[in-house]
Structures are given as C-alpha cells and as structure tokens.
Amino acid sequence: MRAEIAMHSSEIAPRYDVVVIGARCAGAATAMLLARAGHRVLVVDRGRYGTDTLSTHALMRGAVVQLHRWGVLPAVIAAGTTPVRQATFFYGNESVSVPIAPRDGIDALYAPRRHVLDRLLVDAARAAGADVVYGVRIKELQRPDGGRVTGVVLEDEAGDVHGVAARVVVGADGMRSAVAGLVGAEAYRVGQHASATMYGHWSDLDADGYGWYFMPGISGGAIPTNDSQVCVSISVPGADFTRLFAHRPDYAFRELLSQVAPELAEQVARAGHARLHGFAGQPGFFRRSHGPGWALVGDAGYFKDPLTAHGITDALRDAELLANAIGEGSDGALADYQEQRDSSSLDVFESTDAIASFNWDLISVRALHERLAKAMSREVKALLAGQKADGKGQREVTSPLAPQ
Ligand SMILES: Cc1cc2nc3c(=O)[nH]c(=O)nc-3n(C[C@H](O)[C@H](O)[C@H](O)COP(=O)(O)OP(=O)(O)OC[C@H]3O[C@@H](n4cnc5c(N)ncnc54)[C@H](O)[C@@H]3O)c2cc1C
C-alpha cells in the first residue's frame, strides 16, 4: 500500500502553483485544501510517510469540526480512534466533568495518534491531486535579487537537487522552520514560560474521556487514542526538566504521576512498561508569517506551549485561513491571513502561557481554564461562521493561482 502511493523525487515537476514544505497536520491540510480548490500543489517532507512525531495528540472541538467538514473524520473513526465524550478536570481532590455536547456536526472528540492523523491528511491531499514526496528537504529559496520568492531548491536523500518554481512557498515545517530561517521571519511576540512534558502510551487503562490533572508545580493528562491505548503525560516547569528526568525518567514519571493522579498512577503501574518521550520545553511565539511569495502555517509561524493541547487544532484552522488567502491570490490576502490568525489566537496564547508558568494555585488555574474555554468556543464559532471554503472543492476558483 505504502509503496503504491509513494511518489519519487524524480517525479517532482519543475513548476507548481504552491510548494508546501512539511507534510504533517498543517502542511498536509493546507495542501489538501489548495488541491481541492484546483491548485497544482507539491508537498515535501524530509521524514517518512505514516510516522509518529514528538507530540501528544488531544484534539479540541475546532479540530474535530474541521476534520468533519473536510470529510476526513470518518477515516479517523475507522482507524479505531476512541471517541471522547467528556473532559474531566481534576484540581487536587476536586473534579469538574464537562460533557462533549453533540453539535457542529460532531458528537465526540478524538485524539488520533500522529501516525494516523497526519497520514490521513496526506492521503486526502494526495486524493485531491497534490503531489507528495518524502525524503526531501528544502535547501534554498529561489529569490532573485533577494525580493519575491519564486520557488525552492529541494534536495533528496540521494543528494540530487531539484529546482522548483512556485508562486507561493509555504513553510509548514514546524517550530524550527527552515523556511522561516531562509526568509528571516522574525518573532514579534514571544511567551514568557515553557513547560516540559513526558508521555507514553499504555493499554488496559480505564480512561473515561480526557483527564486533565493539576496540582501546584505538576500537571497530568490522560488521552484515549487508537488501539485502545491511552496517552498519559506529565508536565512540569521547563526549568525542572533536567533535574527531574535526566537520570531515572521512568521512576520520576511514575512518582510525579502518583502525586497528581494517584488512581491513574496505580493503573499505569499495573499496566507495565511503556516507552517514554520527553519534550524539554519551548516558549511560544508568533512569527511574521507572510511575505512576497511565501507564507508560514502551523508551528512554523505560531507556536504555543503544549500544556493546553491546542497546536493541532490551531494548525487545522490556520491551514484553511491560509488556503483561502492563497486562493485570493494577493499579498494583501496573506497579510489578512496573519491578522486573522493572530486575533483568533491571542487569548489562547496568553492563557496557555499563564498556565505554562505554573505560577498558579488551584483556584487561579480554574479561572485560566474558564478563559481558555471561552476562547475555544469563540474559535469554533468563528470557524463555522467566517471561513469561505467548505474544504470539498465547491468554492469557485477565480484566483490567479489556478492552474493555467
Ligand atoms: C510534547 C508535545 C505535546 C503536544 N501535545 C499536543 C496535543 O495534545 N494536542 C495538540 O493539538 N497539539 C499538541 N502539541 C503541538 C503539536 O504537536 C504541534 O502544534 C503540531 O505538530 C504542529 O504541526 P505542524 O504540521 O505545524 O508541524 P510539525 O508537526 O512539527 O511537522 C513539521 C514537518 O516538517 C518537516 N520538516 C521540517 N523541516 C523540514 C525541512 N527542512 N525540509 C522538509 N521537511 C521539513 C518535518 O519532518 C515534519 O514532518 C504538542 C507538542 C509537543 C511538543
């Protein structure tokens, strides 16, 4: 199956409307929407098809609504992703359960593993006509006279180099974006705090929806996912990561879990060993995300601390904002994209940064969660009300980027 759909770097055409660097949630979704709207799209990734990445994977309502609107949700469900019908917040000994109300076309949330979600979005991009090539990295931008970006120079694993002309180059290449570096996209707003996370996946845990656990200095998460597994995470202030996890990470993980979520810790202890993955932390940022002939989407342009599990949700929102802007075909539309992204994101960004500070008690963190919940519900309303493309290619293609 994989070999069948693999496209080789030798098949890269010399010219596309849009070249997208990075084929995960942001890049694959952007490529899918552009291809559905009739653009000729190449998406490349230096990695491999269907692989995992360093990330837990809880989706918020906005992301599930997008997957539903785009027709990708049935495949997520068919991949055996456990439906999430409530989220429970544990503040010390108190808990607050929030049922997932059936509305906006969905009756549950889902938290697919990244090797599932990213692969399904890539499949959808390819089905819409995008060319997708793995094992290819960006080497340079084509930018005659240092002005408008007019294409890219790509390098495959054999060291062969491919010059590709494009009207827009999209950097969807993650928080350490090479495209951002090549265009000199500066960060104009940065977070003050960074949390560190350790997580693993266990079978045979009894998780009823998302579980979010808080006590001063520690937070935990339980995220039901594919194959009846649950992703269990622990987060601490980034400054504590090395001290806590450098030597006996498994022991430290279980010890911290038993403090913040004792019952879950007992289940994890009974379930046995699982491989742990660690993220030492990175303060959030907004980067300039557009310029003549280029744009950034996903973590490449806007990153926030993972503690509020919102990066994928924002990446899917911004994929659509960007695809619409590229469809409009003007530099001004790209500027509007950045403005829309920022105004929709600021509240989530600020509450997330405050939660990542761990500078809260159990009362003030609840207030931060309430602020976050309000921001998320505004986000879904804006998503449903404001976006033009329905993601199914029914939008009329009038842009100068349309295939000639
Ligand atoms: C520990 C942790 C936990 C998280 N938990 C959650 C969560 O529960 N829910 C949530 O919504 N978000 C979560 N996030 C955030 C989420 O992972 C990101 O927001 C999301 O991955 C952003 O997707 P992206 O497509 O922008 O970038 P990425 O997923 O980083 O993908 C970028 C792609 O670009 C490719 N690439 C990079 N450089 C090049 C190059 N030079 N040439 C070619 N290809 C290149 C990479 O191979 C990669 O495939 C978490 C993050 C972390 C670190």
Side-chain angles (χ1 to χ4, degrees):
M1 175 69 180
R2 287 180 187 191
E4 224 174 85
I5 60 165
M7 189 182 141
H8 193 264
S9 57
S10 60
E11 297 165 57
I12 293 175
R15 173 173 298 277
Y16 288 86
D17 296 321
V18 183
V19 173
V20 181
I21 311 296
R24 287 198 179 273
C25 49
T30 306
M32 173 195 78
L33 293 170
L34 286 166
R36 284 181 180 181
H39 304 297
R40 188 147 191 240
V41 183
L42 170 68
V43 52
V44 299
D45 199 294
R46 66 183 178 191
R48 292 263 172 280
Y49 173 73
T51 53
D52 227 331
T53 189
L54 183 67
S55 175
T56 65
H57 33 79
L59 300 188
M60 300 299 141
R61 180 179 288 272
V64 182
V65 166
Q66 290 294 70
L67 294 171
H68 162 65
R69 293 171 66 230
W70 297 342
V72 177
L73 191 58
V76 171
I77 296 169
T81 316
T82 306
V84 169
R85 301 198 190 277
Q86 66 172 4
T88 305
F89 293 78
F90 297 88
Y91 301 104
N93 294 327
E94 277 187 50
S95 67
V96 181
S97 282
V98 183
I100 307 304
R103 60 164 195 269
D104 317 319
I106 61 168
D107 64 0
L109 302 185
Y110 294 88
R113 292 289 296 266
R114 294 297 295 274
H115 62 80
V116 173
L117 176 69
D118 297 348
R119 173 174 56 80
L120 292 175
L121 287 167
V122 164
D123 291 349
R126 214 187 286 260
D131 286 347
V132 187
V133 187
Y134 285 91
V136 169
R137 66 181 63 233
I138 181 167
K139 193 171 154 67
E140 284 166 35
L141 288 169
Q142 294 177 344
R143 208 174 185 187
D145 312 322
R148 175 172 289 277
V149 170
T150 57
V152 278
V153 179
L154 303 171
E155 183 173 27
D156 64 25
E157 286 172 339
D160 291 335
V161 164
H162 309 258
V164 182
R167 294 183 197 163
V168 183
V169 174
V170 173
D173 49 347
M175 67 173 97
R176 287 180 244 292
S177 169
V179 176
L182 289 166
V183 295
E186 74 284 3
Y188 50 86
R189 182 168 189 133
V190 290
Q192 303 297 305
H193 306 286
S195 71
T197 301
M198 270 284 174
Y199 67 91
H201 293 87
W202 280 268
S203 301
D204 303 320
L205 303 189
D206 182 19
D208 190 2
Y210 291 152
W212 306 117
Y213 301 82
F214 299 89
M215 65 177 282
I218 315 176
S219 135
I223 305 171
T225 182
N226 302 93
D227 305 318
S228 306
Q229 288 197 315
V230 177
C231 173
V232 179
S233 64
I234 280 291
S235 299
V236 294
D240 295 343
F241 183 74
T242 308
R243 177 178 65 78
L244 289 169
F245 293 113
H247 298 299
R248 295 167 65 200
D250 284 275
Y251 172 80
F253 181 90
R254 286 164 193 266
E255 184 56 33
L256 292 165
L257 191 63
S258 70
Q259 290 176 39
V260 73
E263 281 177 25
L264 181 62
E266 278 173 27
Q267 290 187 44
V268 165
R270 280 197 296 274
H273 178 75
R275 188 173 162 215
L276 289 180
H277 308 270
F279 175 67
Q282 157 76 49
F285 57 78
F286 287 92
R287 273 190 192 128
R288 186 161 60 89
S289 292
H290 69 97
W294 64 270
L296 304 175
V297 68
D299 279 5
Y302 159 48
F303 175 78
K304 79 214 106 340
D305 191 278
L307 197 47
T308 51
H310 215 73
I312 303 164
T313 299
D314 283 347
L316 299 189
R317 177 199 65 197
D318 295 342
E320 186 157 346
L321 290 175
L322 178 58
N324 286 341
I326 292 177
E328 282 178 33
S330 68
D331 291 346
L334 291 183
D336 289 348
Y337 149 69
Q338 175 174 310
E339 219 176 281
Q340 267 182 287
R341 178 199 68 183
D342 290 8
S343 57
S344 314
S345 303
L346 202 54
D347 233 10
V348 170
F349 182 82
E350 285 181 348
S351 341
T352 298
D353 196 47
I355 295 170
S357 74
F358 282 95
N359 188 14
W360 37 255
D361 57 26
L362 294 181
I363 294 172
S364 56
V365 77
R366 276 169 90 149
L368 287 168
H369 285 140
E370 278 157 24
R371 180 177 168 195
L372 193 66
K374 282 186 189 141
M376 288 199 290
S377 100
R378 278 197 303 276
E379 191 175 62
V380 175
K381 275 194 193 124
L383 204 65
L384 293 168
Q387 300 200 344
K388 296 171 207 154
D390 69 358
K392 292 184 182 159
Q394 289 164 7
R395 190 158 56 100
E396 198 187 344
V397 180
T398 50
S399 125
L401 291 183
Q404 309 295 299

